[in-house]
PDB file of all heavy atoms in Angstrom:
ATOM      1  N   ARG B 297      72.999 160.019 242.763  1.00 91.00           N
ATOM      2  CA  ARG B 297      72.798 160.442 241.380  1.00 91.00           C
ATOM      3  C   ARG B 297      71.358 160.327 241.057  1.00 91.00           C
ATOM      4  O   ARG B 297      70.672 161.163 240.393  1.00 91.00           O
ATOM      5  CB  ARG B 297      73.764 159.752 240.500  1.00 91.00           C
ATOM      6  CG  ARG B 297      73.542 160.290 239.077  1.00 91.00           C
ATOM      7  CD  ARG B 297      73.987 161.752 238.988  1.00 91.00           C
ATOM      8  NE  ARG B 297      74.204 162.183 237.596  1.00 91.00           N
ATOM      9  CZ  ARG B 297      74.415 163.412 237.274  1.00 91.00           C
ATOM     10  NH1 ARG B 297      74.512 164.324 238.217  1.00 91.00           N
ATOM     11  NH2 ARG B 297      74.639 163.794 236.062  1.00 91.00           N
ATOM     12  N   ASN B 298      70.840 159.219 241.509  1.00 91.00           N
ATOM     13  CA  ASN B 298      69.421 158.866 241.198  1.00 91.00           C
ATOM     14  C   ASN B 298      68.510 159.933 241.760  1.00 91.00           C
ATOM     15  O   ASN B 298      67.493 160.444 241.200  1.00 91.00           O
ATOM     16  CB  ASN B 298      68.990 157.494 241.551  1.00 91.00           C
ATOM     17  CG  ASN B 298      67.613 157.025 240.925  1.00 91.00           C
ATOM     18  OD1 ASN B 298      67.545 157.113 239.681  1.00 91.00           O
ATOM     19  ND2 ASN B 298      66.710 156.654 241.650  1.00 91.00           N
ATOM     20  N   ASP B 299      68.768 160.329 243.017  1.00 94.00           N
ATOM     21  CA  ASP B 299      68.052 161.374 243.804  1.00 94.00           C
ATOM     22  C   ASP B 299      68.160 162.731 243.066  1.00 94.00           C
ATOM     23  O   ASP B 299      67.224 163.433 242.953  1.00 94.00           O
ATOM     24  CB  ASP B 299      68.514 161.543 245.215  1.00 94.00           C
ATOM     25  CG  ASP B 299      68.116 160.412 246.034  1.00 94.00           C
ATOM     26  OD1 ASP B 299      67.236 159.566 245.611  1.00 94.00           O
ATOM     27  OD2 ASP B 299      68.704 160.239 247.155  1.00 94.00           O
ATOM     28  N   GLN B 300      69.356 163.082 242.544  1.00 94.00           N
ATOM     29  CA  GLN B 300      69.572 164.301 241.765  1.00 94.00           C
ATOM     30  C   GLN B 300      68.736 164.339 240.574  1.00 94.00           C
ATOM     31  O   GLN B 300      68.077 165.356 240.154  1.00 94.00           O
ATOM     32  CB  GLN B 300      71.155 164.534 241.399  1.00 94.00           C
ATOM     33  CG  GLN B 300      71.979 164.686 242.592  1.00 94.00           C
ATOM     34  CD  GLN B 300      73.379 164.739 242.251  1.00 94.00           C
ATOM     35  OE1 GLN B 300      73.865 164.180 241.168  1.00 94.00           O
ATOM     36  NE2 GLN B 300      74.213 165.411 243.028  1.00 94.00           N
ATOM     37  N   ILE B 301      68.765 163.286 239.811  1.00 95.00           N
ATOM     38  CA  ILE B 301      67.973 163.175 238.584  1.00 95.00           C
ATOM     39  C   ILE B 301      66.483 163.280 238.912  1.00 95.00           C
ATOM     40  O   ILE B 301      65.675 163.966 238.240  1.00 95.00           O
ATOM     41  CB  ILE B 301      68.268 161.848 237.870  1.00 95.00           C
ATOM     42  CG1 ILE B 301      69.703 161.783 237.308  1.00 95.00           C
ATOM     43  CG2 ILE B 301      67.210 161.650 236.756  1.00 95.00           C
ATOM     44  CD1 ILE B 301      70.070 160.573 236.664  1.00 95.00           C
ATOM     45  N   ALA B 302      65.980 162.521 240.007  1.00 96.00           N
ATOM     46  CA  ALA B 302      64.521 162.694 240.310  1.00 96.00           C
ATOM     47  C   ALA B 302      64.279 164.091 240.611  1.00 96.00           C
ATOM     48  O   ALA B 302      63.161 164.587 240.250  1.00 96.00           O
ATOM     49  CB  ALA B 302      64.295 161.739 241.504  1.00 96.00           C
ATOM     50  N   ALA B 303      65.031 164.775 241.388  1.00 97.00           N
ATOM     51  CA  ALA B 303      64.709 166.190 241.676  1.00 97.00           C
ATOM     52  C   ALA B 303      64.727 167.038 240.429  1.00 97.00           C
ATOM     53  O   ALA B 303      63.754 168.071 240.306  1.00 97.00           O
ATOM     54  CB  ALA B 303      65.741 166.658 242.780  1.00 97.00           C
ATOM     55  N   PHE B 304      65.685 166.900 239.559  1.00 97.00           N
ATOM     56  CA  PHE B 304      65.719 167.644 238.434  1.00 97.00           C
ATOM     57  C   PHE B 304      64.500 167.362 237.481  1.00 97.00           C
ATOM     58  O   PHE B 304      63.914 168.325 236.903  1.00 97.00           O
ATOM     59  CB  PHE B 304      67.006 167.250 237.643  1.00 97.00           C
ATOM     60  CG  PHE B 304      67.093 167.872 236.162  1.00 97.00           C
ATOM     61  CD1 PHE B 304      67.269 169.190 235.985  1.00 97.00           C
ATOM     62  CD2 PHE B 304      66.972 167.048 235.086  1.00 97.00           C
ATOM     63  CE1 PHE B 304      67.346 169.702 234.695  1.00 97.00           C
ATOM     64  CE2 PHE B 304      67.054 167.504 233.791  1.00 97.00           C
ATOM     65  CZ  PHE B 304      67.231 168.837 233.636  1.00 97.00           C
ATOM     66  N   LEU B 305      64.171 166.125 237.400  1.00 97.00           N
ATOM     67  CA  LEU B 305      62.896 165.853 236.531  1.00 97.00           C
ATOM     68  C   LEU B 305      61.673 166.512 237.185  1.00 97.00           C
ATOM     69  O   LEU B 305      60.775 167.123 236.409  1.00 97.00           O
ATOM     70  CB  LEU B 305      62.723 164.299 236.485  1.00 97.00           C
ATOM     71  CG  LEU B 305      63.749 163.552 235.762  1.00 97.00           C
ATOM     72  CD1 LEU B 305      63.532 162.103 235.811  1.00 97.00           C
ATOM     73  CD2 LEU B 305      63.778 163.928 234.226  1.00 97.00           C
ATOM     74  N   ALA B 306      61.507 166.514 238.484  1.00 97.00           N
ATOM     75  CA  ALA B 306      60.403 167.026 239.129  1.00 97.00           C
ATOM     76  C   ALA B 306      60.277 168.542 238.947  1.00 97.00           C
ATOM     77  O   ALA B 306      59.217 169.099 238.608  1.00 97.00           O
ATOM     78  CB  ALA B 306      60.444 166.701 240.689  1.00 97.00           C
ATOM     79  N   ALA B 307      61.533 169.289 239.036  1.00 97.00           N
ATOM     80  CA  ALA B 307      61.554 170.703 238.979  1.00 97.00           C
ATOM     81  C   ALA B 307      61.358 171.067 237.493  1.00 97.00           C
ATOM     82  O   ALA B 307      60.853 172.179 237.195  1.00 97.00           O
ATOM     83  CB  ALA B 307      62.977 171.172 239.433  1.00 97.00           C
ATOM     84  N   SER B 308      61.496 170.166 236.573  1.00 97.00           N
ATOM     85  CA  SER B 308      61.374 170.579 235.155  1.00 97.00           C
ATOM     86  C   SER B 308      60.037 170.056 234.531  1.00 97.00           C
ATOM     87  O   SER B 308      59.796 170.167 233.301  1.00 97.00           O
ATOM     88  CB  SER B 308      62.533 169.787 234.311  1.00 97.00           C
ATOM     89  OG  SER B 308      63.806 170.121 234.876  1.00 97.00           O
ATOM     90  N   GLY B 309      59.204 169.676 235.439  1.00 96.00           N
ATOM     91  CA  GLY B 309      57.867 169.216 234.918  1.00 96.00           C
ATOM     92  C   GLY B 309      57.787 167.702 234.438  1.00 96.00           C
ATOM     93  O   GLY B 309      56.776 167.402 233.725  1.00 96.00           O
ATOM     94  N   TRP B 310      58.799 166.994 234.704  1.00 97.00           N
ATOM     95  CA  TRP B 310      58.760 165.540 234.186  1.00 97.00           C
ATOM     96  C   TRP B 310      58.781 164.512 235.370  1.00 97.00           C
ATOM     97  O   TRP B 310      59.201 163.396 235.225  1.00 97.00           O
ATOM     98  CB  TRP B 310      60.024 165.288 233.292  1.00 97.00           C
ATOM     99  CG  TRP B 310      59.756 165.995 231.955  1.00 97.00           C
ATOM    100  CD1 TRP B 310      60.046 167.200 231.659  1.00 97.00           C
ATOM    101  CD2 TRP B 310      59.205 165.351 230.725  1.00 97.00           C
ATOM    102  NE1 TRP B 310      59.649 167.460 230.244  1.00 97.00           N
ATOM    103  CE2 TRP B 310      59.185 166.303 229.779  1.00 97.00           C
ATOM    104  CE3 TRP B 310      58.767 164.045 230.463  1.00 97.00           C
ATOM    105  CZ2 TRP B 310      58.628 166.023 228.475  1.00 97.00           C
ATOM    106  CZ3 TRP B 310      58.210 163.851 229.163  1.00 97.00           C
ATOM    107  CH2 TRP B 310      58.209 164.779 228.204  1.00 97.00           C
ATOM    108  N   GLY B 311      58.560 165.002 236.625  1.00 95.00           N
ATOM    109  CA  GLY B 311      58.402 164.169 237.734  1.00 95.00           C
ATOM    110  C   GLY B 311      57.346 163.071 237.452  1.00 95.00           C
ATOM    111  O   GLY B 311      56.290 163.380 236.994  1.00 95.00           O
ATOM    112  N   GLY B 312      57.673 161.777 237.896  1.00 92.00           N
ATOM    113  CA  GLY B 312      56.794 160.777 237.685  1.00 92.00           C
ATOM    114  C   GLY B 312      56.810 160.187 236.261  1.00 92.00           C
ATOM    115  O   GLY B 312      56.024 159.164 235.850  1.00 92.00           O
ATOM    116  N   ALA B 313      57.693 160.620 235.365  1.00 96.00           N
ATOM    117  CA  ALA B 313      57.850 160.124 234.071  1.00 96.00           C
ATOM    118  C   ALA B 313      58.327 158.642 234.040  1.00 96.00           C
ATOM    119  O   ALA B 313      59.186 158.312 234.892  1.00 96.00           O
ATOM    120  CB  ALA B 313      58.683 160.980 233.216  1.00 96.00           C
ATOM    121  N   LYS B 314      57.844 157.869 233.137  1.00 96.00           N
ATOM    122  CA  LYS B 314      58.505 156.526 232.960  1.00 96.00           C
ATOM    123  C   LYS B 314      59.851 156.742 232.401  1.00 96.00           C
ATOM    124  O   LYS B 314      60.012 157.408 231.421  1.00 96.00           O
ATOM    125  CB  LYS B 314      57.575 155.658 232.080  1.00 96.00           C
ATOM    126  CG  LYS B 314      58.031 154.238 231.986  1.00 96.00           C
ATOM    127  CD  LYS B 314      57.052 153.399 231.216  1.00 96.00           C
ATOM    128  CE  LYS B 314      57.408 151.884 231.153  1.00 96.00           C
ATOM    129  NZ  LYS B 314      56.473 151.225 230.279  1.00 96.00           N
ATOM    130  N   ARG B 315      60.795 155.975 232.982  1.00 95.00           N
ATOM    131  CA  ARG B 315      62.238 156.238 232.584  1.00 95.00           C
ATOM    132  C   ARG B 315      62.686 154.879 231.964  1.00 95.00           C
ATOM    133  O   ARG B 315      62.808 153.867 232.519  1.00 95.00           O
ATOM    134  CB  ARG B 315      63.095 156.679 233.775  1.00 95.00           C
ATOM    135  CG  ARG B 315      62.822 158.034 234.281  1.00 95.00           C
ATOM    136  CD  ARG B 315      63.386 158.260 235.638  1.00 95.00           C
ATOM    137  NE  ARG B 315      64.863 158.068 235.575  1.00 95.00           N
ATOM    138  CZ  ARG B 315      65.602 158.146 236.618  1.00 95.00           C
ATOM    139  NH1 ARG B 315      65.050 158.523 237.938  1.00 95.00           N
ATOM    140  NH2 ARG B 315      66.855 158.021 236.620  1.00 95.00           N
ATOM    141  N   LEU B 316      63.032 154.900 230.657  1.00 95.00           N
ATOM    142  CA  LEU B 316      63.546 153.753 229.939  1.00 95.00           C
ATOM    143  C   LEU B 316      64.991 153.923 229.431  1.00 95.00           C
ATOM    144  O   LEU B 316      65.327 154.771 228.566  1.00 95.00           O
ATOM    145  CB  LEU B 316      62.729 153.512 228.672  1.00 95.00           C
ATOM    146  CG  LEU B 316      61.200 153.431 228.898  1.00 95.00           C
ATOM    147  CD1 LEU B 316      60.360 153.307 227.617  1.00 95.00           C
ATOM    148  CD2 LEU B 316      60.857 152.184 229.782  1.00 95.00           C
ATOM    149  N   PRO B 317      65.875 153.216 230.144  1.00 92.00           N
ATOM    150  CA  PRO B 317      67.369 153.489 229.849  1.00 92.00           C
ATOM    151  C   PRO B 317      67.578 153.106 228.431  1.00 92.00           C
ATOM    152  O   PRO B 317      67.049 152.061 227.872  1.00 92.00           O
ATOM    153  CB  PRO B 317      68.123 152.559 230.793  1.00 92.00           C
ATOM    154  CG  PRO B 317      67.171 152.338 231.905  1.00 92.00           C
ATOM    155  CD  PRO B 317      65.751 152.376 231.348  1.00 92.00           C
ATOM    156  N   LEU B 318      68.509 153.703 227.642  1.00 90.00           N
ATOM    157  CA  LEU B 318      68.921 153.390 226.355  1.00 90.00           C
ATOM    158  C   LEU B 318      70.307 152.782 226.332  1.00 90.00           C
ATOM    159  O   LEU B 318      71.143 153.081 227.236  1.00 90.00           O
ATOM    160  CB  LEU B 318      68.883 154.619 225.337  1.00 90.00           C
ATOM    161  CG  LEU B 318      67.429 155.286 225.256  1.00 90.00           C
ATOM    162  CD1 LEU B 318      67.508 156.567 224.462  1.00 90.00           C
ATOM    163  CD2 LEU B 318      66.518 154.273 224.646  1.00 90.00           C
ATOM    164  N   PRO B 319      70.642 152.025 225.336  1.00 81.00           N
ATOM    165  CA  PRO B 319      72.004 151.417 225.276  1.00 81.00           C
ATOM    166  C   PRO B 319      73.085 152.420 225.226  1.00 81.00           C
ATOM    167  O   PRO B 319      72.857 153.536 224.698  1.00 81.00           O
ATOM    168  CB  PRO B 319      72.005 150.549 223.923  1.00 81.00           C
ATOM    169  CG  PRO B 319      70.520 150.367 223.661  1.00 81.00           C
ATOM    170  CD  PRO B 319      69.836 151.608 224.207  1.00 81.00           C
ATOM    171  N   GLY B 320      74.248 152.082 225.961  1.00 70.00           N
ATOM    172  CA  GLY B 320      75.374 153.122 225.939  1.00 70.00           C
ATOM    173  C   GLY B 320      76.155 153.039 224.707  1.00 70.00           C
ATOM    174  O   GLY B 320      75.987 152.235 223.780  1.00 70.00           O
ATOM    175  N   ASP B 321      77.119 154.072 224.621  1.00 65.00           N
ATOM    176  CA  ASP B 321      78.011 154.079 223.365  1.00 65.00           C
ATOM    177  C   ASP B 321      79.440 154.234 223.959  1.00 65.00           C
ATOM    178  O   ASP B 321      79.734 153.821 225.042  1.00 65.00           O
ATOM    179  CB  ASP B 321      77.583 155.159 222.516  1.00 65.00           C
ATOM    180  CG  ASP B 321      77.529 156.551 223.179  1.00 65.00           C
ATOM    181  OD1 ASP B 321      78.097 156.684 224.339  1.00 65.00           O
ATOM    182  OD2 ASP B 321      77.126 157.552 222.518  1.00 65.00           O
ATOM    183  N   ALA B 322      80.352 154.850 223.180  1.00 60.00           N
ATOM    184  CA  ALA B 322      81.700 154.976 223.613  1.00 60.00           C
ATOM    185  C   ALA B 322      81.972 156.142 224.569  1.00 60.00           C
ATOM    186  O   ALA B 322      83.061 156.294 225.051  1.00 60.00           O
ATOM    187  CB  ALA B 322      82.527 155.247 222.350  1.00 60.00           C
ATOM    188  N   SER B 323      80.886 156.866 224.898  1.00 71.00           N
ATOM    189  CA  SER B 323      81.073 158.101 225.743  1.00 71.00           C
ATOM    190  C   SER B 323      80.831 157.765 227.203  1.00 71.00           C
ATOM    191  O   SER B 323      80.267 156.671 227.550  1.00 71.00           O
ATOM    192  CB  SER B 323      80.253 159.277 225.340  1.00 71.00           C
ATOM    193  OG  SER B 323      78.877 159.021 225.568  1.00 71.00           O
ATOM    194  N   THR B 324      80.934 158.743 228.068  1.00 82.00           N
ATOM    195  CA  THR B 324      80.590 158.642 229.431  1.00 82.00           C
ATOM    196  C   THR B 324      79.127 159.067 229.746  1.00 82.00           C
ATOM    197  O   THR B 324      78.717 159.040 230.904  1.00 82.00           O
ATOM    198  CB  THR B 324      81.498 159.373 230.310  1.00 82.00           C
ATOM    199  OG1 THR B 324      81.498 160.840 229.936  1.00 82.00           O
ATOM    200  CG2 THR B 324      82.907 158.863 230.325  1.00 82.00           C
ATOM    201  N   ARG B 325      78.474 159.517 228.669  1.00 88.00           N
ATOM    202  CA  ARG B 325      77.002 159.976 228.818  1.00 88.00           C
ATOM    203  C   ARG B 325      76.122 158.765 228.773  1.00 88.00           C
ATOM    204  O   ARG B 325      76.495 157.746 228.264  1.00 88.00           O
ATOM    205  CB  ARG B 325      76.634 160.903 227.599  1.00 88.00           C
ATOM    206  CG  ARG B 325      77.361 162.295 227.732  1.00 88.00           C
ATOM    207  CD  ARG B 325      76.796 163.135 226.563  1.00 88.00           C
ATOM    208  NE  ARG B 325      77.074 162.585 225.372  1.00 88.00           N
ATOM    209  CZ  ARG B 325      78.168 162.502 224.680  1.00 88.00           C
ATOM    210  NH1 ARG B 325      79.263 163.079 225.134  1.00 88.00           N
ATOM    211  NH2 ARG B 325      78.274 161.904 223.445  1.00 88.00           N
TER     212      ARG B 325
END
């Protein structure tokens, strides 16, 4: 999943962005 996200970010112009996880909630997102 991390590889999928990295590839998606790179293809969208956000490759190399600093990634800061946010607290979760009641959902699966």
Side-chain angles (χ1 to χ4, degrees):
R297 185 60 170 174
N298 198 53
D299 288 346
Q300 289 174 340
I301 291 172
F304 171 69
L305 292 175
S308 306
W310 287 86
K314 186 176 182 181
R315 294 167 54 184
L316 304 174
L318 297 178
D321 60 10
S323 75
T324 58
R325 291 181 305 280

